[in-house]
Amino acid sequence: MQSTLLIATAIVAAVPCYAAHNRVTVTTYGDAAGTAARAAVTEMYFDGLGRQTLSVSRGAGGAGEDVWTRTDYDRRGNVWRQWSPTPVAASAPLTTPPSAQALESAA
């Protein structure tokens, strides 16, 4: 049986590039006891209009990397480009958004 814990927090000034973004952290526990060892953690970042701009799945890559998926929007709010899920070396809490160059070099 899986259980899901949903925690929504606002990013504070310590994260300058995402200061105007909201973060939702979803933790899915893989066993009934709710142990952290089998937990899957995904962080989703949203802009001020409620559009998801970034998703980070912690430790979901084949070698334990974080998997990032980024979505860019045009001026009209339409999806301009959506990056394929890209493994990125495991990181601390997100302080800067992944640049297009970083995602291209990681792929």
Side-chain angles (χ1 to χ4, degrees), residues 41-81:
V41 178
T42 302
E43 296 175 2
M44 295 170 285
Y45 293 83
F46 298 87
D47 64 10
L49 298 175
R51 302 175 299 194
Q52 184 173 342
T53 56
L54 180 67
S55 173
V56 180
S57 298
R58 299 287 180 190
E65 309 98 344
D66 294 344
V67 177
W68 293 28
T69 305
R70 176 177 160 174
T71 304
D72 295 327
Y73 298 91
D74 64 14
R75 290 183 180 188
R76 297 181 67 186
N78 300 318
V79 174
W80 175 51
R81 63 182 168 187

Side-chain angles (χ1 to χ4, degrees), residues 6-55:
L6 180 65
I7 301 171
T9 58
I11 305 282
V12 293
V15 184
C17 291
Y18 274 79
H21 286 64
N22 293 315
R23 178 181 69 190
V24 174
T25 301
V26 177
T27 303
T28 304
Y29 296 99
D31 58 3
T35 59
R38 295 183 44 113
V41 178
T42 302
E43 296 175 2
M44 295 170 285
Y45 293 83
F46 298 87
D47 64 10
L49 298 175
R51 302 175 299 194
Q52 184 173 342
T53 56
L54 180 67
S55 173

